[in-house]
Each structure stands twice: as C-alpha cells, then as structure tokens.
Amino acid sequence: MRSFLGRDILSLKDVERDDYFRIFEVAEQLRPHAENRRNADLLRHKTLLTAFYQPSTRTRLSTEAAMHRLGGHVLGFSDAKMTRAGDFYQESMKDTVKMLEYYGDVIAMRHHVQGAPHEAARWASVPVINCGDGWGEHPTQVLTDLYTIWRDRGTLDGLSVLCVGDMRMRTMHSILYASSQFDMDMMVVSPPELSLLEDFTVELDERSVRYREVESVEECLGEADVIYMEPVVQADYTESRVDPTAERGTTPAAYRVTGALLRAEAKRDAIVLHSLPRMDELTTDVDSTRHARYWAEAANGVALRMALLSLVLGAIE
C-alpha cells in the first residue's frame, strides 16, 4: 500500500483493496470526535480550500465539517458565478488552480465538467480531492458508502449489491469500479435509456467486475444484501446548475423502492443506501424501517472525510 501523503483522490480506479481498509481504520480512530461533536487539533496548522462549481449540500458541508472537527481552517466558494471563472473572464482551470494552491494545503473540488479535478491536479502542488465531476466519478461519496456497508455488515466480501437508478451517475461509476476490489456480485437496474454505456461496460469487463443487468427492482430485490439507490429522474450533471421546473417526471414502478416492497421481498437484514437528494424513487415510508441506512450514511461522511484529510495531509500515516 503506497502512502497517502500528498496523494490526489481523483478516482476509485486506482484505489487498492488495502487502501480502503486503511481509510476505514483511520475513520474509526477519528470517529469519536464527530460523534461527540468535539474538535481535535490534528490539522490545526492546515487549511482546506473548497472549490465547488456545482451545488452541493452533504459533500461540501461534511468535507468542511471534517476539517473543522480536526481543528483546521476552511475557505472557498460554492458558487462559481461569484468567481472570475464564472463571469466575463472565464478564467481557466490552470490560472485558477495556480492561484488557489497558495491559499490552502488541500483542494476539494466539485465541477460540472468531467475530468476537471484531474486537470486541476495537473497544475496544483497540493493534493486535490474529487468531490464529483460531471458524469465522471464521486470517490468520497462511494468511500463513505462502502464505509457504511463495512460498519453494518463487518465485511465487503460475499455481498450482493443491487444498484438502482441512472447508470450514467458518477456514484454508480465509482461503486462499480470499487467492486472490483471485493467479492461482490453487482445487479444493475435502470431504464434502457439510462443503462450502462458500452465504453464503461468494456472497462468493467477488463476489471473483472461481476455484474448483470436486470429489468426491475422486484425481479432481484430478494437477492440483495445492499440496495444502492440514485434517482432516475435526474438533473443534467454537465450543467453548473439546473433550476427546478414545473414538470420533472415521475419514477416508473420498476425502479422504485417502497416500504411495502421491502416487507414483501427484501432480506430481513438488507440495507438501503442513497446518497441523496432523492425524488420519488425511494418513498419516505422506508425511513422508519430497519433497512434504512441513508441517515447513517450521511453522518459517516464526516468521519470518512476526516480520515482522508488526515491521510493526504500527513497527520496520520
């Protein structure tokens, strides 16, 4: 396992099995600070810079909360329109990052352009963490999701994972890449127009990912240990912002999970994850069931990101 010190976290393609467990180990070590709402001083001399070119609730706030819990400092922006990259000048990524690297010790970036954090990492002398890039990947979210599964099940091996939603989503890409490091059987359910792209399936085959495409949730729900959900009714992730419209569509029954369906078909110990926000694909009557883990998932994001920040900044080896 190579050192995390100074390492960019851009994709789960290059994260090895031992890396996952080291991140989880550190998250467990730091977790009491988050749970007890007490700040430490591990990163008191470090500054996180958040560069968010696209809206975010959980990712940005949990990343900033993680830095605060470690005693560090935070600055940044959450609306690119208020920067020179988003106004008349359309400042380039190179020029922006060459400036930002002097203001912080690590950059957490979300961008509507796929590959933007990778380009930022080319120019930055400090670590760059990808917090979601267009339709590309979302490494920190899926690390949080896997950490949640690992804490609940005690393992990431021998599991059947049902992925439901838009398979173009960055979280779906990241979790399918990650599954290559574990003994997981992946089941994929999505509308035909939102199914896995051919180029992506070639990559999955090259990585020996075990997956199969299924027509509906009901068809395979009883096999699943983990139900991993994203919306089918989806915004365009290549846009910096998509405002709500009067007509947003509804999710067909084949791609919805409800309390009634879980009672009828799910394993007793199956768990439901959703990175949120949700539309109508996951009904609110699931919230009070024993299967719901998305609130724990959101909370786990703080401890997981505390671990990442501590590792890439060298506070913990």
Side-chain angles (χ1 to χ4, degrees), residues 191 193-194 231-234 246-256 279-282:
E193 67 275 15
L194 306 179
V232 167
V233 179
Q234 191 60 266
E247 295 183 10
R248 292 189 292 182
T250 58
T251 303
Y255 316 112
R256 297 177 75 216
M279 301 291 280
D280 62 338
E281 72 284 348
L282 178 62

Side-chain angles (χ1 to χ4, degrees), residues 284-297:
T284 56
D285 62 351
V286 177
D287 297 355
S288 59
T289 71
R290 64 178 177 275
H291 305 289
R293 293 295 185 281
Y294 28 94
W295 310 130
E297 182 183 1

Side-chain angles (χ1 to χ4, degrees), residues 108-136:
M109 177 176 287
R110 168 169 288 187
H111 208 288
H112 55 280
V113 175
Q114 185 171 339
H118 299 70
E119 184 186 356
R122 286 178 56 203
W123 306 113
S125 60
V126 298
V128 175
I129 298 175
N130 180 1
C131 292
D133 63 319
W135 295 110

Side-chain angles (χ1 to χ4, degrees), residues 156-316:
L156 292 175
D157 294 315
L159 300 177
S160 292
V161 179
L162 170 57
C163 296
V164 186
D166 186 341
M167 291 302 133
R168 303 171 302 166
M169 280 287 290
R170 52 199 179 202
T171 47
M172 293 300 185
H173 295 158
S174 287
I175 197 166
L176 285 162
Y177 284 138
S179 70
S180 68
Q181 299 297 308
F182 307 102
D183 177 21
M184 285 183 175
D185 290 308
M186 311 298 287
M187 299 173 286
V188 173
V189 176
S190 66
E193 67 275 15
L194 306 179
S195 61
L196 298 170
L197 298 177
E198 184 176 352
D199 289 350
F200 184 54
T201 62
V202 170
E203 277 197 88
L204 297 182
D205 293 340
E206 289 174 349
R207 293 172 181 276
S208 300
V209 174
R210 297 200 307 268
Y211 70 96
R212 74 180 200 268
E213 296 184 81
V214 186
E215 291 187 356
S216 72
V217 170
E218 191 169 4
E219 183 180 336
C220 56
L221 184 63
E223 302 175 48
D225 301 298
V226 178
I227 302 138
Y228 187 81
M229 301 195 68
E230 288 288 359
V232 167
V233 179
Q234 191 60 266
D236 183 353
Y237 271 54
T238 64
E239 298 290 336
S240 60
R241 180 180 177 88
V242 179
D243 291 320
T245 59
E247 295 183 10
R248 292 189 292 182
T250 58
T251 303
Y255 316 112
R256 297 177 75 216
V257 171
T258 67
L261 185 59
L262 289 170
R263 286 192 298 274
E265 303 289 343
K267 292 182 177 181
R268 291 184 60 81
D269 59 351
I271 61 174
V272 178
L273 274 67
H274 196 307
S275 64
L276 304 172
R278 60 179 159 185
M279 301 291 280
D280 62 338
E281 72 284 348
L282 178 62
T283 56
T284 56
D285 62 351
V286 177
D287 297 355
S288 59
T289 71
R290 64 178 177 275
H291 305 289
R293 293 295 185 281
Y294 28 94
W295 310 130
E297 182 183 1
N300 288 339
V302 178
L304 189 285
R305 291 174 173 96
M306 289 172 71
L308 277 182
L309 291 168
S310 298
L311 286 164
V312 302
L313 290 172
I316 296 177

Side-chain angles (χ1 to χ4, degrees), residues 12-29:
L12 294 189
K13 291 182 185 181
D14 53 4
V15 177
E16 298 177 355
R17 181 182 172 94
D18 287 347
D19 292 336
Y20 289 97
F21 294 120
R22 178 56 181 154
I23 293 168
F24 299 164
E25 180 183 18
V26 174
E28 288 294 283
Q29 177 183 338

